Amino acid sequence: MMTRNSKIETLLHKLSSGNPEDQQSAAGEIRLLARQNNGVRLAIAEAGAIPLLISLLSVPDSVTQEHAVTALHNLSICEASKGSIISSGAVPGIIQVLKKGSMESRENAAAALFSLSVLNENKAIIGDLGAIPPLVTLLTEGTPRGKKDATTALFYLCISQGNRGKAVRAGVVPTLMRLIKEPEHDILDETLAILGLLVSHTEGKAAIGAAGAVPVLVEVIGSGSHPSKEKAVAVLLEICGGDRQCLVEAEKLGVVGQLVDLAQNGTERGKLKAALLLELMNISMEQGGSYKQRRTQNSSEKWAKT
């Protein structure tokens, strides 16, 4: 009976054979093996599979390409392999598959980038190599699973401040707004989480405001899940800070009652954000002042007096 290590060696020999049929079948078997557990993943990586799989990302055969990118994704689940995949130069090939591969390959490439971007040291590398625009494209063109993987990858990448401007310039904000307005909100929390990162960036805040975010966010605050409501309030607070027109628009759309409820029944963070936004509206309605001028006031007490 062939041992695990001898089987891996046989598969690697096929990968390096130059025979397209052998390469396709071997990549497919490694793809399946790498699903098992971290011990198997580590053994495959240590045997030298990563560079061989990377070389298959550019082959013309779409099935081989799909096996290779999915195998790399499966190997990347092991924390010890993430650095090896990056240092072996996998990212440009993965991005090329994300751009030009079959839909299955593109979505698995997005999953690989999401897995690799979990490590902070990889975020800037992946963003600088051009991963963000094709991830934004997949948000529009992908299946629900592909959109979820693309959204998760974008969230992790945008944790890095340097990637936020790249995402805005790639058109992620209007794309996220369209996703939020879709009837099925399978990735609502993820899209709002990305907006929560982008709104702290100058370009991001401007883009969110320009995309007509206020009615979209107010709708989420009125009908979303509790976590979604709190995320939407946090974004609305940022874009309305010091902007009386924005505050008036939100108030006219009927957000006040929902904010009062959240200020009373949300998490500690949710209560604080809702109370601050209520204070902004209170100041705007009573005096036309700005949030920055009155931020030191106790928001909960202020609203309780009205």
Side-chain angles (χ1 to χ4, degrees):
M1 183 176 179
M2 187 179 291
T3 66
R4 182 184 71 186
N5 286 346
S6 62
K7 181 175 183 179
I8 291 171
E9 288 297 331
T10 299
L11 291 173
L12 297 194
H13 179 73
K14 288 183 177 181
L15 282 184
S16 58
S17 68
N19 182 299
E21 291 184 1
D22 284 349
Q23 289 176 324
Q24 183 186 109
S25 65
E29 288 191 61
I30 290 174
R31 169 184 181 173
L32 294 176
L33 275 177
R35 292 177 60 183
Q36 293 183 8
N37 56 59
N38 278 341
V40 174
R41 294 179 187 113
L42 196 57
I44 293 171
E46 290 178 344
I50 291 171
L52 295 174
L53 290 168
I54 292 171
S55 70
L56 298 181
L57 295 175
S58 58
V59 299
D61 182 72
S62 62
V63 176
T64 302
Q65 190 181 80
E66 179 190 321
H67 288 332
V69 76
T70 309
L72 287 168
H73 167 242
N74 292 341
L75 291 175
S76 75
I77 294 170
C78 177
E79 292 295 309
S81 297
K82 293 184 195 293
S84 298
I85 293 171
I86 292 286
S87 63
S88 297
V91 174
I94 294 172
I95 293 173
Q96 189 61 26
V97 173
L98 179 62
K99 291 178 179 178
K100 303 292 186 180
S102 66
M103 184 55 69
E104 181 80 11
S105 296
R106 291 172 65 194
E107 293 181 347
N108 290 344
L113 292 173
F114 142 52
S115 179
L116 293 169
S117 65
V118 170
L119 295 184
N120 286 332
E121 58 266 32
N122 293 343
K123 291 175 171 59
I125 295 170
I126 294 170
D128 288 345
L129 287 170
I132 291 174
L135 285 170
V136 173
T137 300
L138 190 61
L139 282 181
T140 299
E141 299 177 355
T143 67
R145 180 183 70 83
K147 289 178 180 179
K148 188 172 184 67
D149 284 334
T151 306
T152 307
L154 285 165
F155 170 76
Y156 278 107
L157 289 172
C158 287
I159 290 173
S160 172
Q161 184 75 23
N163 285 332
R164 296 176 192 177
K166 293 182 179 72
V168 173
R169 291 187 288 275
V172 74
V173 171
T175 302
L176 293 174
M177 288 298 168
R178 286 196 299 271
L179 289 174
I180 292 172
K181 290 186 282 188
E182 286 182 356
E184 298 298 327
H185 292 311
D186 291 339
I187 53 173
L188 180 59
D189 281 351
E190 291 90 340
T191 57
L192 290 168
I194 297 172
L195 290 176
L197 292 171
L198 296 179
V199 78
S200 67
H201 187 277
T202 303
E203 290 179 64
K205 182 175 180 179
I208 293 168
V214 174
V216 177
L217 294 170
V218 170
E219 175 66 23
V220 173
I221 295 167
S223 61
S225 66
H226 217 76
S228 295
K229 289 181 179 185
E230 295 196 356
K231 290 182 177 71
V233 168
V235 176
L236 191 62
L237 177 62
E238 290 297 324
I239 63 173
C240 285
D243 186 338
R244 188 168 185 271
Q245 183 177 350
C246 175
L247 292 169
V248 170
E249 180 182 5
E251 190 273 333
K252 287 182 177 178
L253 289 167
V255 77
V256 171
Q258 298 294 334
L259 291 176
V260 171
D261 179 69
L262 198 59
Q264 295 170 348
N265 302 310
T267 64
E268 288 306 310
R269 182 176 181 275
K271 288 178 181 178
L272 175 62
K273 298 288 186 181
L276 287 172
L277 191 49
L278 286 168
E279 180 185 11
L280 277 170
M281 291 181 171
N282 188 49
I283 293 169
S284 175
M285 287 186 288
E286 289 185 351
Q287 301 175 5
S290 73
Y291 171 56
K292 291 180 181 178
Q293 293 171 326
R294 298 289 302 277
R295 189 169 183 172
T296 56
Q297 293 186 356
N298 183 292
S299 58
S300 297
E301 291 181 359
K302 179 69 178 176
W303 190 259
K305 295 175 183 176
T306 62

